[in-house]
Amino acid sequence: MRSFVSKDDIRSWGGILQGQHFVSRPNWRDQLPRSIAEARDADHSLLAIGLGRSYGDSGLNPGGALVDMTALGRIISFDPATGLLRAEAGISFADILDLFVRRGFFLPVTPGTRFVTLGGAIANDVHGKNHHLAGTIGRWVRRIGLLRSDGTEIELRDDDQTGLFAATIGGLGLTGLITWAEIELMRIPSALMDVETLPFANVDEFFAVAAESEGSADYTVAWVDCLAKGNALGRGLFTRARHAPRGTKLARVEKPKLTVPFSMPSFVLNNLSIGLFNSLYFYKGRRAAGKATTPYLPYFYPLDSIGHWNRIYGRRGMYQYQSVVPPVTARDATTEMLKAISKAGEGSFLAVLKTFGEKVSPGLLSFPQAGTTLALDFPNRGQLTLDLLSRLDDIVREAGGRLYPAKDGRISAAMFRAGYPAWETFAQHVDPAFSSAFWRRISE
Amino acid sequence: MRVIILGATSAIAEATARLYASEGADLLLVGRQQAKLDAIAADLKVRGAVRAETAVYDLAAPENVRSALAQFCATLGGVDHVLIAYGVLGEQDEAEQLTDVAEEILQVNFNSVAAWCLAVADVFEGQARGSLVVLGSVAGDRGRRANYVYGAAKAGLATLVEGISHRFASNGPRAAIVKPGPTITPMTEGMNRKGALWATPEQIARVARRAADRTGPVFYAPGRWRLIMLIIRNLPTVIFNRMSI
Ligand SMILES: Cc1cc2nc3c(=O)[nH]c(=O)nc-3n(C[C@H](O)[C@H](O)[C@H](O)COP(=O)(O)OP(=O)(O)OC[C@H]3O[C@@H](n4cnc5c(N)ncnc54)[C@H](O)[C@@H]3O)c2cc1C
Ligand SMILES: NC(=O)c1ccc[n+]([C@@H]2O[C@H](COP(=O)([O-])OP(=O)(O)OC[C@H]3O[C@@H](n4cnc5c(N)ncnc54)[C@H](OP(=O)(O)O)[C@@H]3O)[C@@H](O)[C@H]2O)c1
C-alpha cells in the first residue's frame, strides 16, 4: 500500500459518519491500476471519492481503500461545435463553469452545489432544477472510461448493450473507477438568470404553481416552511427561472467570503432558531416576490458562498432526507410528510420541494423518477430525529416512493430494495473488489 | 506572453500553467515524459492557451544549457517568462550514507537549476526584460534533520536567484524565488497531509504567477510562511534542537 496513507478524518458531508480509510491521491490516470493493485494485494476493498459532497455512507468505505480522484482534473478535449467535453473524472463542476460559461456553455444538469466532481455526479446520476426538461446528468453522458479491478479499462458508450453503462450511471462508485467521461454541454445566451419568485400558501397551491410553470420555465424549485402548521401547512416560495436571453457572459467568480471554521455548538441550532429562520425567510421572500435578473452563481448555488456550511450543524452533524413519490400519491404523501415533520417539531432549514418530470433516468440505480421530491435536513438529535425519519420512511414506502442514496446513511436494506427493484440486476455489474459502507449495509 | 516551463509535469507547475493559459499565453512545456506533457498540453489549450508546445529534455543533466535554451526560445519565437519547477525531495537517510544519492539530490535541485538560471539571466539581460521564477522551498531557510541535503540545495538556489535579481536591479528583467511550505503534490505522497499548514498546488500557483510581475525577490507561498520561517530561523539552537520538526 505504498501510495496509500491511513486517515481517520474522512467524514461524510452530513458529518454523522466518520471512519478510518487508506487514501491514495494519484496525479496521473496511469497510476490508477497501481493503486488498485496495491489495495487488492492488501485485501482492502476499494471505492472512489470525489469532493465528498455526499451526505451519507455511500461515499465511505471504512477500514478499506479510497482513491481520491480530485487531482485528476484535466480536460482531454472540447468541441465547440457540438459542446462535447471529455475530461478526467476528478474535474469539478466549478472548474467547468469557470471555463465554459464565458464561452456560452453550461452544464446540462447541475446539483445545488458546484463543488462536485464529474465522476461523483455520474456515480449519483445527479439531478437539478431542470429535471422536467433535461432529466438527470446521465442522459448527457456520451462515453465513460471505466477501470475495473482486474486492470482492464473499458470505454462505455451510451448505446452500450452489456448493461455496464446503465450500472455505472448512478452506480454509487461500485462498478469500478470512472477515469474520464464525455458529456454534452448546453448552450446558454448569457451568464444571467431571469428568476421569478411566487409565494404559495399551502401544498395544493404548490402543485398548482408547479403544474402551470413546468411548461414555460426551464428551472423550477420550491422552498417550504416545514414548521408551519394548520392552514399554513406547506406554505413556501416557488421560484421559476430561465437563462436570461441577453446580458453578459462574464460572471464574477467569487471565492467563499465566509467560512464556518469549526463545528458550531449544538445550541446554536434549535427549534426556536430554525422556526424563526423559516418564518423570516418566508415573510422576507413574500415581500420580495416578483421578477429579477441575477448572476447564475447565487441562483444555482446559494450555499456555495459559505465554505463548510455543514459545520453549523455541530459535531453531531445532520441527516439529509430526500424522497421521491410517484404522481398518483404525491399530493397526499407530501402533505402527510409535512404534517409529520411539523408535528414532531423537528425543523429543517432547507426543505426543498420539486416535481420531477417524465424523463427516464438511464441508470439502474438512478434516484429520480416521475413524481414529487422533498429534500430535508435535520440536525442530529439522536433517537428523536431517527424516529421522525422512520415515520417518513413509512409514508414514502406506502406511497411507492424511494430515497436518494447520496443523502442517506440509515435506511434499511428492505426499504432500499423495495424502492430500487433493479438492484439485483445492478449487483451483477458490481466490481468484486469495490464496496462501500452503504453497499454492505443494503446488500448483505 | 510567451512562457517556458522547465519541469512542466510538476503539480505546482501545472497549476501555474493553467493560470497562464487563462491569460491566453503561449506555453512551452519541458519535461522528461512525453505522454504526461501531451496530457497537460491538451488541457491547457482548452483552458485558453494560444499555444501549448512540448519538449522532452533531460533537465537535471543538461548537455548544453545555452543552446537548449535558445532552441526553446525559438520554438515560441522569444520568451517573456521562465518558470523552473522541477525538483526531487530525495531520501535523506540514504543521502547520509551514499554519496551519489546526496550528489544526485544536489545535482537535480541545485547544480542543474543554477545552470538554467544563469543561462536565462543572460537571455533576459540581452533583451532587457523577462521574468524568471524559480521554485525553492521553506526547507532552505533552516537546515533540519529530515531533509537538509534537499534544504541545502534550495538554500543555494535562493541565494543564486537573489543574486540574479540584484544583478537585474536597475534593468528591466526580474528574478524571483518562490518558497512553498508543504504542499499536497506527488512529491509529498505517502506523508500524512493533514492540518492547516498544508497548501494546495493552486495556492502556490497563485503566488508563483504573481511573483513574475512583482519585485521580490523572495515570495513565501502561502504568504503566512514568511512569518513562520522568521520565527523558526530565529529560534535559539537549544530550543530548535529539541524540536522534532
Ligand atoms: C449543498 C448540496 C446540494 C446538493 N444538491 C443536489 C441536487 O440538487 N441534486 C443532486 O442530485 N444531488 C445534490 N447533492 C448531492 C451531490 O450532488 C452528490 O452527492 C454528488 O455525487 C457529489 O459529488 P462528489 O464529487 O462530492 O462525490 P462524492 O460524494 O465524493 O462521491 C459520490 C459517489 O460517487 C462515487 N465516485 C466519485 N468519483 C468517482 C469516480 N471517479 N469513479 C467512480 N465513482 C466515483 C463515490 O464512490 C460515491 O459513491 C447536493 C449536495 C450538497 C452538499
Ligand atoms: N510539494 C511540496 O511540499 C513542496 C514544498 C516546497 C517546495 N517544493 C518544490 O516545488 C517544485 C515542484 O514540486 P511539486 O510539489 O509540484 O512536485 P511534483 O509534482 O512531484 O513535481 C516534481 C517535478 O520534478 C520533476 N523531476 C523530478 N526529478 C527529476 C529529474 N531527475 N530530472 C528532471 N525532472 C525531474 C518531475 O518530473 P516527472 O513528472 O517526469 O517525474 C516533476 O515534474 C519542486 O522544485 C519542489 O522542490 C515542493
Side-chain angles (χ1 to χ4, degrees), chain A residues 217-236:
Chain A
D218 298 345
Y219 298 93
T220 66
V221 71
W223 167 85
V224 209
D225 174 357
C226 58
L227 283 178
K229 289 189 193 326
N231 281 344
L233 185 82
R235 73 175 177 192

Side-chain angles (χ1 to χ4, degrees), chain A residues 50-185:
Chain A
L51 281 163
R53 254 53 176 196
S54 299
Y55 288 85
D57 56 354
S58 61
L60 298 182
N61 188 22
L66 282 181
V67 182
D68 177 345
M69 301 295 288
T70 53
L72 297 170
R74 297 181 189 90
I75 294 167
I76 299 166
S77 63
F78 176 67
D79 180 354
T82 57
L84 284 176
L85 170 70
R86 188 182 285 220
E88 291 178 342
I91 195 169
S92 71
F93 277 14
D95 200 9
I96 294 176
L97 292 167
D98 285 355
L99 280 169
F100 291 102
V101 167
R102 69 184 73 210
R103 299 190 206 173
F105 288 95
F106 203 74
L107 294 160
V109 169
T110 175
T113 172
R114 67 193 194 283
F115 301 122
V116 300
T117 61
L118 178 58
I122 293 173
N124 273 323
D125 197 12
V126 299
H127 60 271
K129 300 174 188 171
N130 59 349
H131 182 272
H132 55 286
L133 289 182
T136 59
I137 190 82
R139 294 176 62 95
W140 303 86
V141 176
R142 298 289 166 257
R143 300 252 199 292
I144 291 174
L146 185 72
L147 182 62
R148 302 277 285 184
S149 64
D150 60 11
T152 53
E153 181 154 6
I154 310 168
E155 181 171 326
L156 297 170
R157 299 160 47 123
D158 52 0
D159 59 358
D160 163 73
Q161 299 296 314
T162 67
L164 193 50
F165 183 84
T168 300
I169 303 277
L172 305 172
L174 296 164
T175 62
L177 292 179
I178 299 171
T179 58
W180 58 267
E182 186 174 280
I183 59 167
E184 193 179 325
L185 298 184

